[in-house]
Amino acid sequence: MLTLNPASRHRENRPVPKIGLAIAGGGPLGAIYELGALRALDEGIDGLRLHQLDHYVGVSAGAFLATSLANQVTTSQMCRIFMGAPGAEFAFEPESFLRPALGEFMSRVRNLPGALYAMISEAVTHPSRLGHLESVGGLSRILPTGIFDNETIEQFVTRVLDRPGRTNDFRTLETSLRIVAMDLDTGGAVRFGEPGTEDVSISRAVQASAALPGLYPPVRIKGRYYVDGALRRTLHASVALKGGVDLLIGINPLVPYDSALAPEASHPMTESRMIAGGLPLVLSQTFRALIQSRMQIGISNYATEYPESSILLVEPNRSDERMFFTNMFSYSSRSELAEHAYQITRAELLARADDLEKFLAPYDMRPDREALSSDQSLFTSLRREAAYLAPLGNNLARSLDRLDRALEEI
């Protein structure tokens, strides 16, 4: 589903437009959708270089993708890594992100004697409260703040960025990158990479932004604790819009499912299917609905607040059962889901080609109808770009890209 919000007026005296990209969260499933959609955009829009933009904003799962693109890792390289395709730089091991947070568990176990003593003392002092929930409230001290160890996220991002031509330091990036997390003590959004936070490593910022409460423990940075940035806002598009981008591309994988839009022959009793899925599906639908409502309000406000900026928003269709009824934290079907997102986005771009032609014209871009009409798979598209395995080749390719862009700005 494409949403096109053109600028009501265009900036003067800016020969080369500034382009930004904001990528929302959505867990592993959201990241897989975003990969397929990003690859489709990269191929389907002539003049767009997603690894050479002016501003990047990443939240939660989208923080890693934004970080990679800001370091000029191409969509093809990222797809190879996450899909385990031939020529990948790293062997991606999803199970490494689901290791128990043993350190967190041990720290909570140390609280057990004190919690039990407090509960026994309460029972002796106030026996009438023994049957009430408040009598066991003190046991919350022994519950872990997260099930899985998110240090593995930081370590993986560090590995990816620890290559020639890449950096784990916001200050040495050649572009603007903002990673958004929520300060647990204030509830406010913190944008790592801005003045005052730019000395935090990019990998640690990604870890903080992806610390979904309940799954991962809060991340301690400079004495404060941070959790998933999507809890404050999904896309945080205003971060790039305030930076003065002329065109903002937003990727949001989380939309609520609407059974009324699904084909009539497909699952006529979707409501029962939703309930049969239990608490995870109910929570997922509720969470998505809240996110969608906030996003729609934000997008409508941006038209007034940033009249000189256009917004292209890419989301799954609300009737897309494949995206909704797949386990949100599943890795096992990642290749099929990335392919699905890739093909759906290509189809949307082709169907809206005439609208896109007019929308993208001020930014020296256009839909590539020939590429979008071609019959190819995501894996086929990856073969069109040579695998980047040698550091020397990576640096040379980046230098040529920079030269190409510099010549365009003359």
Side-chain angles (χ1 to χ4, degrees):
M1 179 170 61
L2 302 181
T3 303
L4 308 179
N5 288 334
S8 57
R9 65 173 185 267
H10 296 286
R11 291 183 176 85
E12 299 179 355
N13 302 320
R14 182 177 283 182
V16 179
K18 290 187 176 182
I19 314 298
L21 175 66
I23 312 179
L29 178 62
I32 293 166
Y33 166 82
E34 289 165 342
L35 269 179
L38 287 168
R39 183 60 184 164
L41 288 168
D42 223 1
E43 284 186 325
I45 297 181
D46 187 27
L48 178 64
R49 297 185 183 93
L50 285 175
H51 61 289
Q52 284 192 327
L53 303 183
D54 301 284
H55 293 269
Y56 294 91
V57 181
V59 186
S60 192
F64 174 76
L65 302 181
T67 290
S68 300
L69 289 168
N71 272 277
Q72 298 192 23
V73 179
T74 67
T75 56
S76 175
Q77 289 174 278
M78 288 195 295
C79 285
R80 284 191 175 99
I81 293 172
F82 280 95
M83 296 169 63
E89 285 187 76
F90 304 98
F92 180 60
E93 300 174 347
E95 60 274 11
S96 66
F97 299 128
L98 301 177
R99 293 173 182 167
L102 297 179
E104 173 69 10
F105 294 152
M106 292 303 297
S107 68
R108 294 292 164 172
V109 166
R110 287 194 289 269
N111 293 330
L112 182 59
L116 289 176
Y117 177 78
M119 188 176 70
I120 294 172
S121 297
E122 178 74 7
V124 171
T125 308
H126 304 285
S128 61
R129 299 179 183 176
L130 191 59
H132 299 281
L133 288 176
E134 61 185 289
S135 64
V136 296
L139 292 179
S140 62
R141 294 169 52 196
I142 67 173
L143 296 177
T145 56
I147 301 173
F148 303 116
D149 184 5
N150 51 4
E151 286 296 326
T152 56
I153 296 177
E154 194 275 338
Q155 293 164 6
F156 180 75
V157 177
T158 298
R159 281 182 60 209
V160 172
L161 300 185
D162 188 24
R163 288 293 177 94
R166 300 175 190 170
T167 180
N168 199 9
D169 191 329
F170 285 102
R171 296 164 294 188
T172 56
L173 275 173
E174 296 182 357
T175 187
S176 170
L177 172 65
R178 300 292 182 263
I179 302 299
V180 185
M182 189 186 85
D183 188 320
L184 188 60
D185 291 320
T186 67
V190 175
R191 294 170 286 275
F192 291 102
E194 288 188 344
T197 62
E198 72 273 26
D199 58 330
V200 176
S201 70
I202 295 175
S203 56
R204 187 65 70 185
V206 172
Q207 179 190 5
S209 183
L212 184 62
L215 288 181
Y216 294 113
V219 177
R220 190 172 188 268
I221 300 176
K222 295 183 178 180
R224 304 192 69 84
Y225 289 89
Y226 298 91
V227 294
D228 195 321
L231 297 175
R232 279 285 302 173
R233 197 174 299 166
T234 312
L235 200 59
H236 290 270
S238 60
V239 178
L241 293 171
K242 289 177 182 177
V245 299
D246 298 289
L247 170 63
L248 176 69
I249 301 171
I251 313 289
N252 171 43
L254 296 181
V255 297
Y257 178 73
D258 189 344
S259 61
L261 300 177
E264 293 182 7
S266 175
H267 304 290
M269 296 184 66
T270 304
E271 291 82 3
S272 297
R273 187 183 179 197
M274 186 86 70
I275 294 299
L279 183 60
L281 277 186
V282 173
L283 290 177
S284 177
Q285 178 76 334
T286 304
F287 182 61
R288 289 165 184 256
L290 290 172
I291 283 177
Q292 185 75 358
S293 175
R294 289 192 302 178
M295 179 167 292
Q296 289 174 342
I297 293 173
I299 293 294
S300 62
N301 290 336
Y302 294 153
T304 302
E305 296 176 17
Y306 308 101
E308 296 176 316
S309 299
S310 296
I311 300 176
L312 166 59
L313 180 62
V314 182
E315 299 176 301
N317 294 316
R318 293 189 57 183
S319 60
D320 193 334
E321 296 185 355
R322 182 70 180 276
M323 286 300 302
F324 183 81
F325 288 102
T326 299
N327 184 342
M328 183 177 178
F329 297 98
S330 171
Y331 284 103
S332 59
S333 302
R334 61 185 187 272
S335 294
E336 291 84 354
L337 287 170
E339 179 70 40
H340 176 72
Y342 173 73
Q343 297 296 353
I344 291 295
T345 306
R346 277 164 49 88
E348 290 277 349
L349 291 171
L350 184 58
R352 300 287 301 277
D354 291 341
D355 295 333
L356 280 168
E357 188 97 49
K358 181 179 179 181
F359 178 82
L360 295 172
Y363 313 108
D364 300 321
M365 300 180 195
R366 65 177 180 82
D368 189 336
R369 289 179 172 83
E370 181 178 353
L372 293 170
S373 301
S374 64
D375 184 15
Q376 69 176 17
S377 67
L378 176 55
F379 274 98
T380 302
S381 80
L382 298 183
R383 289 198 289 267
R384 296 177 59 186
E385 180 183 312
Y388 284 30
L389 297 179
L392 179 60
N394 285 346
N395 288 337
L396 178 59
R398 290 189 180 91
S399 298
L400 291 174
D401 282 342
R402 295 188 194 103
L403 177 60
D404 188 29
R405 187 170 185 183
L407 291 174
E408 288 181 354
E409 296 179 358
I410 295 177

